[in-house]
Amino acid sequence: MSPILHALEHESPKLSQMERKLAERILSSPSEIVHMGITELAEQCGISPATVTRFCKAFHFKGFPDFKVKLASEIAHSDGAPQDGSYQDIVAGNPLSVIVEAMQANHLASIRDTTSLLDIDRLQAAVDLLCRARRVDLYGMATSSIVAQDFYQKLIRIGVNCTAFADSHMQITSASTLSAGDVAFAISYSGETPETIDALTCAGASGASTIALTSYGSSRLATLADIPLFSSSLEQGMRRGDMASRIAQLHIIDILFTGMVSTRFGDFIPKLEQSYLNVQHYRHKRGGQS
């Protein structure tokens, strides 16, 4: 199942009666929906076109036309994907050769599914904000803190004034000192991590622009952020330790970083090169010890 259809199925119990009828109609035959007009779909579901538009915006689309384009793209990708391409959980006694293939399949599926969810306009807006930010705060707990640290190590190499805290108290403390012109970037796969939500709420109240990276679907963090970015939400099962979801988040982090460097190439590349040369110089000075 595609990320969009998975999100509709997962969120369906939380929807209103009219929205649930719409979600069920889409899930029953998604390939038909991409060829329908908004009025035709609304009439079939016994709802108004305005309800269809609100439904699409609730799932972070610009409107029904944008929803159809994204859904059509996912259907096209899924039609060409292997039929056994679901995420594989950890199984007792699996040979290492099978584990290698399973990890490769999971990570490739995660990147593919996440790429299908990317909104170029949102990505560009995030890159623009990060490029001109006076300061960037990065928030994440548990596995998401590892992703935040990865972004921190990238940004610090190009001279971006940034911090990354895994401690919830320090996140709030730092968020309290942000202001207009600063950016708070929060990472949470579930989108419901209380500490991360609190930090981003505090940052927004302080006047900072806010970006969230979370799994696709309806979540408090996505609703809270000025710019929500989404990774695949298809990974299921509690044994994997968020492996594929971490890869999906890092995929977006790499896209943002590359976009930033490409946008401000003349400013960032000299700093990136100088940081590399300095590390090499001082490492060799100490006999190769790090």
Side-chain angles (χ1 to χ4, degrees), residues 46-259:
I47 58 178
S48 69
T51 300
V52 178
T53 299
R54 285 196 300 272
F55 176 89
C56 293
K57 290 184 176 180
F59 282 89
H60 309 286
F61 297 99
K62 298 181 181 71
F64 185 58
D66 183 44
F67 172 79
K68 288 201 300 180
V69 169
K70 299 286 176 45
L71 180 60
S73 176
E74 284 197 1
I75 292 173
H77 279 94
S78 62
D79 286 346
Q83 294 303 305
D84 59 348
S86 59
Y87 291 88
Q88 302 173 57
D89 213 335
I90 298 173
V91 178
N94 256 358
L96 191 56
S97 60
V98 174
I99 292 173
V100 169
E101 292 180 0
M103 290 303 96
Q104 174 182 257
N106 285 353
H107 293 167
L108 289 175
S110 180
I111 291 173
R112 181 190 65 239
D113 294 338
T114 295
T115 300
S116 72
L117 290 169
L118 295 180
D119 184 300
I120 298 301
D121 291 338
R122 283 201 195 109
L123 278 173
Q124 187 63 62
V127 167
D128 292 342
L129 270 182
L130 291 165
C131 278
R132 53 175 195 266
R134 293 181 307 186
R135 176 176 146 203
V136 177
D137 263 18
L138 304 168
Y139 310 134
M141 304 296 294
T143 304
S144 293
S145 72
I146 298 173
V147 179
Q149 282 292 327
D150 180 86
F151 202 15
Y152 169 78
Q153 292 189 42
K154 286 178 168 63
L155 294 179
I156 206 73
R157 291 171 63 200
I158 58 175
V160 173
N161 180 19
C162 62
T163 56
F165 296 111
D167 180 87
S168 60
H169 291 181
M170 288 304 300
Q171 289 177 358
I172 296 294
T173 300
S174 186
S176 300
T177 66
L178 298 177
S179 60
D182 299 327
V183 173
F185 191 108
I187 305 167
S188 168
Y189 180 72
S190 69
E192 301 294 344
T193 307
E195 297 87 347
T196 308
I197 289 171
D198 289 345
L200 201 67
T201 300
C202 183
S206 298
S209 298
T210 56
I211 303 172
L213 173 53
T214 183
S215 61
Y216 180 69
S218 176
S219 69
R220 291 176 62 197
L221 193 67
T223 302
L224 178 66
D226 297 324
I227 303 174
L229 302 174
F230 299 103
S231 62
S232 170
S233 59
L234 294 182
E235 184 180 32
Q236 300 293 323
M238 61 183 176
R239 304 178 196 163
R240 284 190 298 268
D242 302 328
M243 297 176 193
S245 61
R246 186 186 71 252
I247 294 297
Q249 291 175 334
L250 290 172
H251 177 51
I252 295 178
I253 292 299
D254 287 346
I255 290 171
L256 291 172
F257 176 73
T258 304

